Amino acid sequence: MTEKELCRTAIDMMDRAYIPYSHFAVGAALECSDGTVFTGCNIENASYSPTICAERVAIFKAISEGRRDFRRLVIAGRGKDYCVPCGVCRQVIREFVADDFEIICLNGAGEAKHFTLHDLLPYSFDSSML
Ligand code: THU
């Protein structure tokens, strides 16, 4: 998939978001090294804390299907700001990828800002510290 197609996939996933509380849709598209793409959307809950972010849905779908070889991740929102991953998601991403992993964040205009995981989570905690 081209970057444009991967972004379109994340944008389309916003339509599947279950967001009766925040009304803030997020879509995600996670690309593996062989080009396989796992998608996600945010899924909220009346009890609030069980809510899961779009990018974690995509990552957990991939992990549960036996995949850990991630190449890049697109996160799409409809706001004016680029939809960057929350702190919890940054730590979950950290578990499976290196510092140079590419994270592409989209705003509601479909504009993209490129980050590495290191940009978003420097001095991160990982298994080497245990
Ligand atoms: N959300 C995501 O899906 N990804 C993020 O990284 C930011 C937050 C969702 C969670 C919740 O359903 C809504 O956006 C508002 O916080």
Side-chain angles (χ1 to χ4, degrees), residues 22 24 26 42 44 51 53-55 84-86:
S22 76
F24 186 82
V26 182
N42 50 334
E44 299 185 342
T51 292
C53 295
E55 54 273 48
V84 292
C86 78

Side-chain angles (χ1 to χ4, degrees), residues 66-130:
R67 305 302 300 265
R68 294 183 189 172
D69 50 328
F70 305 137
R71 185 193 281 160
R72 55 186 173 170
L73 169 69
V74 179
I75 306 169
R78 295 197 173 109
K80 66 173 175 11
D81 297 315
Y82 296 104
C83 192
V84 292
C86 78
V88 171
C89 288
R90 293 177 198 204
Q91 185 65 32
V92 168
I93 294 165
R94 163 82 286 175
E95 187 70 19
F96 301 107
V97 305
D99 269 346
D100 63 352
F101 180 70
E102 186 181 11
I103 300 171
I104 303 168
C105 300
L106 305 181
N107 63 17
E111 295 161 338
K113 190 164 173 66
H114 292 67
F115 299 95
T116 63
L117 178 62
H118 184 264
D119 293 330
L120 299 176
L121 195 67
Y123 302 104
S124 61
F125 184 85
D126 65 24
S127 59
S128 69
M129 297 168 182
L130 293 174

